[in-house]
Amino acid sequence: MKVKTWLSMMAAALTVFAVQAQDMSEEAIAERIKPMGDVHVAGAASESAAAGGGGAMSGEDVYNQACVACHGAGVLGAPKLQVAADWQPRLDERGLDGIWQNALDGINAMPPRGTCGQCSDDEIKAAIEYMIEGI
Ligand code: HEC
């Protein structure tokens, strides 16, 4: 009888643990799909957002946090950092405002806001300006 009681307690404990483990893994997945090195910067960003702005990230910061994962090496055909041949045709066709809008909305394999959900429109624009700087 005692063993049975113990077993059912263990089962209950395991159920609780399993539920928690699932929550954890959702968080873990959210963490995993963020670009590397993002955790600290993202914390700082949401702190400044919570404080009512005034702490906008530079374009380079946003790029390094959210965009480098794809735009660094041209993953999935993403136009690469400061490579004119990748960016110029897009700028010719749509202009800065056009590619900015597509970055906000997402286009093909480009996710909306490049996965930077907490980035402001202006921070996304700054990241684009950084990516096309000097081309
Ligand atoms: C998951 C990979 C991925 C991430 C992360 C990502 N991009 Fe992209 N991006 C792409 C791909 C792929 C394209 C090319 C889409 C196409 O034209 O088919 C693209 C295209 C773009 C374009 C050109 C849009 C146009 O109209 O031609 C801009 C601007 C852009 N990304 C900005 C950003 C910014 C800013 C970030 C970070 C905040 C970012 N991207 C993060 C994959 C990514």
Side-chain angles (χ1 to χ4, degrees), residues 59-60 63 71-72 78-88 126-135:
E60 188 174 355
Y63 169 79
H71 286 270
K80 293 185 285 296
L81 176 67
Q82 291 161 10
V83 173
D86 288 358
W87 286 103
Q88 200 59 61
I128 297 169
E129 284 169 345
Y130 173 70
M131 285 198 277
I132 62 177
E133 204 173 86
I135 68 169

Side-chain angles (χ1 to χ4, degrees), residues 1-118:
M1 208 51 180
K2 267 195 168 168
V3 171
K4 244 187 176 176
T5 309
W6 182 81
L7 277 177
S8 62
M9 279 174 63
M10 280 304 286
L14 278 175
T15 308
V16 171
F17 179 75
V19 169
Q20 279 176 352
Q22 203 178 353
D23 289 344
M24 285 300 291
S25 81
E26 267 173 31
E27 248 175 55
I29 289 166
E31 283 302 315
R32 270 204 300 280
I33 62 173
K34 285 186 190 172
M36 288 182 299
D38 172 36
V39 177
H40 179 74
V41 182
S46 46
E47 273 161 33
S48 64
M57 286 190 289
S58 73
E60 188 174 355
D61 285 346
V62 175
Y63 169 79
N64 283 321
Q65 179 190 323
C67 322
V68 64
C70 296
H71 286 270
V75 173
L76 305 167
K80 293 185 285 296
L81 176 67
Q82 291 161 10
V83 173
D86 288 358
W87 286 103
Q88 200 59 61
R90 295 171 186 273
L91 285 168
D92 288 348
E93 199 170 310
R94 292 184 277 284
L96 178 57
D97 284 348
I99 65 170
W100 181 23
Q101 195 58 53
N102 282 340
L104 295 175
D105 295 344
I107 170 176
N108 300 323
M110 162 76 197
R113 293 180 182 275
T115 69
C116 187
Q118 86 273 19

